[in-house]
Amino acid sequence: MRDPYSVLGVSRNADQNEIKAAWRAAAKALHPDQNPDDPTAASRFSEVGRAYDILRDPDKRRRFDQARARSSGQSTAAKEKTFMEQRAERARMEAEARAARARAAAAAAALDAELAEKGADKHESAEDVLAKMFGGKKAPEQAAAAADRKAEPRAEPKTEPRADQRAATRAQPYAEPEPDGGEPKVSPALDLISYVFKRLIRPAAAPERAPDLVLDAAVSVEDLLKRLNPTVTLPDGKMISIPLPEDARDGSVVRVEGYGHRLPGMKRGDVVATLRIKPHKWFRWDGGDLLTYVDIDIENAVLGCEATVTTPDGDTKVTIPPWSGSQYKARIAGKGLPKNKTERGDLIAEVRVLLWDHPDQKVIDLMRSMKNGLYL
């Protein structure tokens, strides 16, 4: 439903007297009996009743205010954090990559000069160079590979390189031709730097997830009772089904993974759907219970009667005890909203005492005599 404050037209710091006065005025103006030609009067009257049910109860009002503040705050913070951090992370990674390339080029040039002075073997692998520099021992598989390389003959039959090999050779930086005319060998310094970078630099963790898509899913009372999942349309035009929880209520939140917002390089967000029960001609709702009205006249209110109440499963009879006013509520067990797969809430029928369609002179005389006393 809409914001109950805006439905009743009161401010958020309104006291109970203001709320009650606004509800009475709105209920009187929107009552279906006062608007027989307005097809929306019943739904608007029901909406006013739901708004008053929330705001007249201090506990419900407090929970609504807290949920509204928490929802708006989290939504704004999540969006700002996601997009701002993504932009900052991308800029930081680009700066680090430029700095790393510059350091690698400088280190390669310096190491080339040092290796040239020491007469290092250009055919040594990066692992061999590191083992010499730091006195480490190579792993058995690395030692075996190095032995295989030393055992291989240096002279190999010359073959015409393929086009893709020639292109790769031209693209390699710091390439030096072999003395025996073989394929160019990449600079040992660059080979060493590349090896160190591969071992030490780990790929940056991808951003966690794109923002969630928050929306409302409208569902009718009949759909809740028949366990029919509502459908919603996403911004891209795709329709998805929202699974109903066992204790679905107005305001229940359902998360559907993988159908939220999309952003490059990020995992797709989720859909966070808030269930909203559509206004009903006969019923309102309070948690798992359904609320409705049963109309009786003054005579039956005084003497008691059997009244017919409309329930989601059809009409049923309830007993109204004698001297029942408009505050009397008849509870019909098991006719409310589902609590789980086997249990349902109750239907609460509130008595409304109505006058007859036309004035009755006997009743008028009786009320006058009760008010003013009997005179002979």
Side-chain angles (χ1 to χ4, degrees), residues 56-73:
R56 71 176 176 177
D57 188 328
D59 188 46
K60 290 183 181 179
R61 181 179 180 181
R62 176 181 56 79
R63 291 202 302 268
F64 173 82
D65 291 339
Q66 291 177 350
R68 180 181 180 277
R70 183 168 58 252
S71 174
S72 60

Side-chain angles (χ1 to χ4, degrees), residues 56-275:
R56 71 176 176 177
D57 188 328
D59 188 46
K60 290 183 181 179
R61 181 179 180 181
R62 176 181 56 79
R63 291 202 302 268
F64 173 82
D65 291 339
Q66 291 177 350
R68 180 181 180 277
R70 183 168 58 252
S71 174
S72 60
Q74 288 179 350
S75 176
T76 303
K79 289 182 180 178
E80 291 180 355
K81 179 179 178 181
T82 300
F83 291 102
M84 292 176 64
E85 285 196 351
Q86 180 192 7
R87 185 182 304 158
E89 179 71 13
R90 186 163 53 246
R92 183 185 65 80
M93 293 175 63
E94 291 176 356
E96 288 183 355
R98 288 194 298 269
R101 288 194 295 269
R103 290 194 299 268
L111 193 56
D112 271 341
E114 183 179 351
L115 293 175
E117 292 179 0
K118 295 181 178 180
D121 185 359
K122 295 181 180 179
H123 294 278
E124 287 183 332
S125 67
E127 295 92 308
D128 297 328
V129 175
L130 286 179
K132 286 184 178 181
M133 292 175 62
F134 299 101
K137 295 182 179 180
K138 293 184 290 186
E141 61 270 19
Q142 294 176 343
D148 291 341
R149 287 196 299 271
K150 292 181 179 179
E152 292 177 354
R154 296 295 299 275
E156 296 179 358
K158 297 181 180 180
T159 58
E160 183 66 18
R162 299 193 306 272
D164 56 349
Q165 291 177 336
R166 290 197 298 270
T169 303
R170 287 194 300 269
Q172 289 176 343
Y174 304 104
E176 301 175 353
E178 288 290 340
D180 56 1
E183 291 185 0
K185 178 76 167 67
V186 177
S187 165
L190 185 60
D191 189 19
L192 179 60
I193 294 296
S194 300
Y195 173 79
V196 172
F197 267 78
K198 289 179 181 178
R199 293 293 299 270
L200 298 182
I201 298 180
R202 296 181 180 178
E208 293 185 359
R209 193 177 59 187
D212 294 334
L213 177 59
V214 181
L215 46 78
D216 289 343
V219 60
S220 66
V221 172
E222 289 78 11
D223 290 342
L224 290 177
L225 295 174
K226 296 177 182 177
R227 308 298 300 172
L228 299 178
N229 295 337
T231 58
V232 296
T233 303
L234 304 182
D236 58 5
K238 184 175 182 179
M239 298 182 65
I240 64 170
S241 175
I242 305 298
L244 291 177
E246 291 185 3
D247 57 345
R249 301 286 183 271
D250 185 77
S252 297
V253 178
V254 181
R255 180 178 293 272
V256 183
E257 296 184 356
Y259 288 94
H261 290 294
R262 298 176 184 265
L263 285 177
M266 301 180 70
K267 181 181 178 181
R268 188 171 182 178
D270 299 339
V271 166
V272 180
T274 302
L275 298 180

Side-chain angles (χ1 to χ4, degrees), residues 334-353:
K335 299 297 183 180
L337 296 177
K339 289 184 176 180
N340 49 50
K341 292 182 178 179
T342 57
E343 297 180 338
R344 288 170 57 179
D346 299 337
L347 176 68
I348 301 174
E350 301 177 4
V351 169
R352 293 193 302 186
V353 179

